[in-house]
Amino acid sequence: MSPAIAVIVGSAIQMGAFGRPEPVRVETPWGPWTLYRVERADRPTYVSFRHDYPHRLLPNQIPYRAQAWALREVGCGGLLVTSSVGVLTASLPLYEPLVLTDILTLDNRLPDGSACTMFTEPDARHGHLVLNEGLFSGALSRQAAALAGRARDEAVVFGYVGGPRTKTPAENRMWRDLGAHVNSMTLAPEVILANELEIPCAGLVVGHKYSVPDIDAPGDREAVAETLERSRLAFERAVLAFLQRAEPVAFGNHLFRFTNPGEGHA
């Protein structure tokens, strides 16, 4: 079977954008998760609604491991993880798709406090995720950028701030000072867990607001409403283009696994 292409979306894109996708319930060690298979002639293609569908899960309630395992079970060879974000630097535009280049977290943990890893118990297949090219695949990110119509080559570092509450102005200034350009409550756990399962990832976000008080939001309320709708449509077009035209890529990182004593390591 050909490797699958998949996208994780939030609440910005509704089911109807994907036509009439077929629900696929996948049983995992962390409970069931439902993916939605989208029609594409040359390979299996899936959408995962991180908040479930209809929207019912807060960011801290998402079963991140179940979602990641389900994507592995369907043979995902290229994953686009999306999010609406707050923007922390005035050099980045609002309302336009942006391709992520790196992730910044203060601690490698899931919202329940456990380590952000698929390897919760000793197992022959567990190991250390070694980031040879980073959490985002260069080859897949270039595809995402081209399909989203991104001509600019910019660094966009994502700051992961677990929900469900929003950030204070002081917290947003801290994230900017640490080097994040955008932030939100999801995305990072999904990318980290997918990498542990050797699934290449790209990240695509749209800024819906400037999150620090010293950056002025553009336009009046009516103009902002219009640009928000345009940005939603641009986001939707980029996601649909990825589902229909993206191709799987080789995994660029590796899992450092320990073998039996005296056998060395691989």
Side-chain angles (χ1 to χ4, degrees):
M1 184 175 67
S2 298
I5 288 293
V7 174
I8 297 175
V9 299
S11 54
I13 303 178
Q14 298 301 304
M15 182 79 76
F18 305 105
R20 300 178 65 182
E22 174 192 359
V24 178
R25 180 183 167 100
V26 183
E27 299 295 333
T28 85
W30 291 275
W33 185 252
T34 299
L35 302 172
Y36 292 84
R37 182 160 179 166
V38 177
E39 185 175 351
R40 177 173 168 176
D42 61 332
R43 68 180 64 258
T45 309
Y46 298 90
V47 177
S48 181
F49 292 91
R50 64 162 61 91
H51 299 291
D52 207 353
Y53 199 89
H55 188 297
R56 68 180 183 88
L57 301 174
L58 290 170
N60 59 304
Q61 298 166 347
I62 297 168
Y64 288 105
R65 294 189 183 101
Q67 179 180 231
W69 191 272
L71 290 165
R72 191 194 74 159
E73 287 294 285
V74 298
C76 184
L79 175 64
L80 181 69
V81 188
T82 72
S83 181
S84 295
V85 295
V87 178
L88 305 173
T89 174
S91 64
L92 292 178
L94 299 182
Y95 319 129
E96 295 181 20
L98 303 169
V99 177
L100 296 175
T101 56
D102 207 347
I103 285 178
L104 177 63
T105 69
L106 295 184
D107 198 3
N108 189 55
R109 294 193 178 276
L110 293 172
D112 65 3
S114 64
C116 183
T117 181
M118 299 299 297
F119 309 129
T120 57
E121 299 292 338
D123 183 88
R125 298 295 296 168
H126 70 193
H128 300 290
L129 174 61
V130 180
L131 301 177
N132 302 103
E133 69 167 345
L135 287 167
F136 296 114
S137 160
L140 200 63
S141 295
R142 286 189 291 274
Q143 289 189 56
L147 293 167
R150 291 302 300 172
R152 295 172 52 176
D153 183 18
E154 64 234 321
V156 185
V157 177
F158 177 89
Y160 171 59
V161 189
R165 72 167 175 86
T166 61
K167 281 74 68 183
T168 69
E171 288 168 337
N172 279 320
R173 286 193 294 269
M174 176 195 73
W175 279 100
R176 182 178 62 182
D177 292 345
L178 288 173
H181 300 114
V182 300
N183 61 14
S184 84
M185 305 177 191
T186 56
L187 188 141
E190 295 156 332
V191 172
I192 293 166
L193 297 177
N195 269 269
E196 284 197 341
L197 296 177
E198 300 178 80
I199 298 173
C201 294
L204 188 74
V205 300
V206 169
H208 60 90
K209 64 178 179 178
Y210 288 116
S211 292
V212 285
D214 53 341
I215 303 177
D216 294 329
D220 56 27
R221 185 178 298 273
E222 183 177 354
V224 169
E226 293 174 357
T227 52
L228 280 171
E229 177 62 11
R230 288 201 300 271
S231 71
R232 184 191 68 78
L233 292 173
F235 204 15
E236 185 176 290
R237 284 193 296 270
V239 167
L240 291 174
F242 187 89
L243 284 172
Q244 293 302 323
R245 296 166 56 191
E247 295 294 330
V249 300
F251 184 60
N253 299 317
H254 78 277
L255 271 295
F256 179 85
R257 295 183 172 99
F258 294 87
T259 58
N260 293 328
E263 294 184 1
H265 54 72

